[in-house]
Amino acid sequence: DGGITQSPKYLFRKEGQNVTLSCEQNLNHDAMYWYRQDPGQGLRLIYYSQIVNDFQKGDIAEGYSVSREKKESFPLTVTSAQKNPTAFYLCASSIPTDVYGYTFGSGTRLTVV
Amino acid sequence: EDQVTQSPEALRLQEGESSSLNCSYTVSGLRGLFWYRQDPGKGPEFLFTLYSAGEEKEKERLKATLTKKESFLHITAPKPEDSATYLCAVQAEETSGSRLTFGEGTQLTVNP
């Protein structure tokens, strides 16, 4: 079955450490997105990519980095520059030319320890 | 700037008690309005897309409607399994790519 796989489901980060969240899709979707979800604040866009080897900053990109070397993969790195990384991170994909809606992964919960 | 406001923040219903969730939006030309359902600790699940004022879509006990300023998600005779957070999102005509702007969600609890 086609879908989006995020891993790990839970991740713990120490102060000053970079961590990478994985997102893989087999839907053949061109566009992929990373959102952050905090209680009471809805989903906020971190980065998005419409095609391989190209990506754009979203509304809260500071302290994060991404790459899009393959159509299927869009990993997110949370760097030590992100001062408040504890949140629920969601990856999504879509067909950019068709307003169908996103397909979301199951999320990664990141906690700073 | 595109804005989406959902109300109420939380809603408690008894099983069988129908109600509506509201999504008010401000966007420079609407390309589409989306409704998603999200269970705790999981990713949102797509429910509906609405494109123009007057449009309605139904799925089981849910019906979504759209006007030029807001959308309603009507829940008829809800069951406990309808308990979830319901998210509304808009896509503007001028948006880059397919990015969506989300509201903060309505947390629905249906008691048996």
Side-chain angles (χ1 to χ4, degrees):
Chain A
D1 289 338
I4 295 183
T5 301
Q6 288 188 243
S7 62
K9 188 171 178 64
Y10 300 96
L11 187 58
F12 297 91
R13 192 193 94 166
K14 296 180 179 179
E15 294 287 345
Q17 188 179 49
N18 292 354
V19 292
T20 297
L21 284 60
S22 172
C23 178
E24 303 277 335
Q25 55 102 355
N26 60 3
L27 299 166
N28 200 33
H29 285 174
D30 291 309
M32 297 187 74
Y33 314 81
W34 275 105
Y35 281 85
R36 169 179 172 143
Q37 187 173 33
D38 296 281
Q41 294 195 42
L43 275 68
R44 292 183 290 167
L45 183 64
I46 304 173
Y47 269 98
Y48 64 103
S49 168
Q50 295 175 256
I51 57 173
V52 175
N53 293 321
D54 187 48
F55 49 83
Q56 289 78 39
K57 293 182 179 180
D59 301 320
I60 56 165
E62 185 175 353
Y64 300 98
S65 66
V66 294
S67 63
R68 186 86 187 275
E69 297 177 359
K70 299 186 300 181
K71 187 174 184 178
E72 301 78 18
S73 180
F74 192 41
L76 173 74
T77 297
V78 184
T79 74
S80 56
Q82 171 51 240
K83 298 306 179 187
N84 185 24
T86 295
F88 190 53
Y89 290 86
L90 286 162
C91 179
S93 71
S94 73
I95 304 172
T97 58
D98 186 12
V99 187
Y100 175 75
Y102 291 175
T103 299
F104 281 91
S106 57
T108 293
R109 186 165 299 279
L110 174 63
T111 304
V112 174
V113 296
Chain B
E1 182 182 337
D2 303 333
Q3 290 190 328
V4 179
T5 303
Q6 292 187 246
S7 62
E9 290 183 9
L11 180 63
R12 285 186 174 273
L13 300 174
Q14 288 299 122
E15 185 171 2
E17 179 186 4
S18 301
S19 187
S20 297
L21 312 183
N22 178 263
C23 171
S24 298
Y25 64 90
T26 303
V27 65
S28 55
L30 180 70
R31 182 186 289 179
L33 184 142
F34 301 80
W35 282 99
Y36 292 87
R37 169 194 171 124
Q38 185 177 24
D39 292 305
K42 296 186 178 180
E45 179 182 311
F46 173 76
L47 292 174
F48 304 109
T49 308
L50 301 167
Y51 296 98
S52 58
E55 188 175 1
E56 299 182 352
K57 289 192 176 175
E58 292 188 61
K59 180 180 180 180
E60 297 180 354
R61 295 176 292 283
L62 301 177
K63 183 168 98 171
T65 62
L66 181 66
T67 72
K68 290 186 178 180
K69 295 183 178 180
E70 58 191 351
S71 176
F72 292 93
L73 185 65
H74 307 278
I75 303 177
T76 301
K79 298 181 178 181
E81 53 261 43
D82 293 323
S83 298
T85 295
Y86 291 85
L87 299 170
C88 173
V90 297
Q91 184 183 54
E93 288 179 340
E94 299 173 357
T95 190
S96 174
S98 301
R99 56 177 296 175
L100 303 182
T101 300
F102 284 83
E104 295 175 359
T106 293
Q107 185 175 358
L108 174 67
T109 303
V110 182
N111 296 314

